[in-house]
């Protein structure tokens, strides 16, 4: 029964992740196609701002539903109503926003052979991809292990059926909302930096410090500091790579390259998931140590930022 439930959960997660990527990633490509060079940094920062504003609302849904009296507990093997309603509302919002954007935005594209594009990809495609690998692996561990880590360090429980664990789950939603707030604020600040790589690296270091600090904070409110810092890294991850990459590729291939670049988001998460169980065993089975590992990965990503050599491609009018 456990095996069947796990397989069903994995398949459902695969479809969820695939559908979200197919719905959202083309819009990142459209930004590169539709704005000029001077506007790209600001455009991606605005996109980052809007993504995180939506995340803020989504993360708060279970907490709000519990506050107004919707059940946050459930029988063994079932999901609380507060979580179910959050997914329903989130799906409805996603569908409506995708439909609105599809209708309102005029797409400009050109067919391209993706194998040839990869062969002739600028070096910056691969160096930014290296940074992406560390960043997205780190956030994969955040999404996987935050709930268990916070339940153990703050609520003192590892029993997933306990009320404390459920309270921790609600609080994780609040922490992710705090992360979104940090991202929104940092997305406004990022365009003010003149040195793009330094801003990128600084953001990742701040996020790394945020992850590592979760090992030392045992009060739920002190964790606000951790997740505000993590939000800085998230804002940079949503804006900086696309700005750097779109500056280095020609306009006619920009959308295709951004589509291929989505692999630098998916592959690290797959790799992190495959080795995550083994790494958890190596760090003593304590989930909070996986968050510390996530911090180390972000700092490694910050170091790799300095391997990036930004270039400017010739863009056709």
């Amino acid at each position: 029964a456990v095996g069947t439930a796990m397989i069903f959960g994995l398949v459902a997660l695969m479809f969820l992740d695939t559908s979200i990527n197919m719905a959202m990633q083309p819009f990142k490509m459209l930004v590169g196609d539709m704005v000029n060079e001077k506007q790209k940094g600001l455009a991606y920062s605005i996109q980052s701002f809007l993504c995180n504003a939506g995340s803020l609302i989504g993360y708060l849904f279970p907490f709000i539903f519990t506050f107004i009296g919707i059940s946050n507990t459930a029988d063994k093997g079932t999901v609380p109503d507060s979580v179910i309603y959050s997914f329903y509302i989130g799906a409805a919002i996603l569908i409506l926003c995708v439909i609105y954007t599809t209708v309102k935005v005029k797409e400009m594209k050109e067919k391209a052979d993706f194998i040839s594009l990869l062969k002739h990809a600028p070096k910056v495609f691969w160096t930014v991809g290296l940074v992406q690998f560390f960043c997205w692996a780190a956030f994969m561990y955040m999404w996987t292990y935050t709930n268990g880590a916070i339940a153990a360090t703050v609520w003192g429980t590892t029993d997933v059926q306990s009320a404390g664990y459920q309270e921790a789950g609600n609080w994780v939603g609040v922490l992710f909302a705090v992360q979104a707030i940090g991202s929104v604020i940092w997305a406004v600040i990022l365009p003010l930096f003149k040195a793009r790589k330094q801003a990128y690296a600084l953001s990742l270091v701040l996020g790394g410090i945020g992850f590592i600090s979760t090992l030392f904070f045992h009060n739920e409110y002190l964790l606000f500091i951790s997740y505000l810092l993590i939000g800085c890294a998230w804002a940079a991850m949503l804006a900086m790579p696309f700005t750097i990459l779109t500056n280095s590729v020609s306009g006619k291939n920009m959308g295709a390259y951004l589509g291929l670049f989505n692999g630098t988001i998916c592959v690290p998460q797959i790799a992190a998931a495959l080795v995550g169980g083994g790494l958890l065993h190596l760090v003593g089975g304590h989930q909070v140590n996986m968050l510390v590992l996530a911090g180390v990965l972000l700092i490694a990503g910050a170091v790799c930022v300095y391997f990036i050599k930004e270039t400017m491609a010739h863009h056709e009018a």
Side-chain angles (χ1 to χ4, degrees), residues 2 27 38 90 100 106 112 128 157-158 181 195 201 208 210 234 258 273 294:
V2 172
F27 300 152
K38 293 182 179 179
Y100 178 83
K106 184 180 294 185
V128 176
T157 182
T158 57
I181 292 171
W234 184 245
L258 286 174

Side-chain angles (χ1 to χ4, degrees), residues 138-139 142 186 200-214 225-234 237 291-292 294-299 302:
F139 274 82
M142 182 193 78
W186 198 246
Y200 193 5
L202 173 63
S203 301
L204 299 184
V205 169
L206 290 175
I209 293 171
F211 276 125
I212 294 170
S213 69
T214 60
I225 299 172
S226 302
Y227 283 82
L228 282 170
L229 293 174
I230 292 169
C232 296
W234 184 245
M237 286 166 56
L291 298 186
V292 175
V296 173
L297 290 172
L298 275 189
I299 292 172

Side-chain angles (χ1 to χ4, degrees), residues 182-243:
S183 297
V184 167
I185 295 170
W186 198 246
V188 174
I189 296 172
L190 276 176
L192 303 178
F193 284 92
K194 293 183 178 179
R196 187 179 293 120
K197 288 201 302 184
Q198 283 75 7
Y200 193 5
L202 173 63
S203 301
L204 299 184
V205 169
L206 290 175
I209 293 171
F211 276 125
I212 294 170
S213 69
T214 60
L215 179 65
F216 306 101
F217 292 157
H218 302 286
N219 177 281
E220 62 265 39
Y221 295 103
L222 283 177
L223 288 169
F224 285 175
I225 299 172
S226 302
Y227 283 82
L228 282 170
L229 293 174
I230 292 169
C232 296
W234 184 245
M237 286 166 56
L238 293 182
M240 291 295 187
F242 299 97
T243 303

Side-chain angles (χ1 to χ4, degrees), residues 3-19:
T4 303
M6 287 289 290
I7 292 171
F8 178 81
L10 288 170
V11 172
L13 181 61
M14 178 188 71
F15 280 116
L16 175 64
D17 194 40
T18 301
S19 62

Side-chain angles (χ1 to χ4, degrees), residues 148-169:
I150 300 308
T153 58
V154 178
W155 273 267
T157 182
T158 57
D159 180 5
V160 297
Q161 298 298 324
S162 67
Y165 201 96
Q166 296 303 316
E167 289 180 23

Side-chain angles (χ1 to χ4, degrees), residues 83-93:
V83 176
I84 292 173
Y85 295 156
S86 297
F87 271 91
Y88 285 160
I89 293 175
I93 292 173

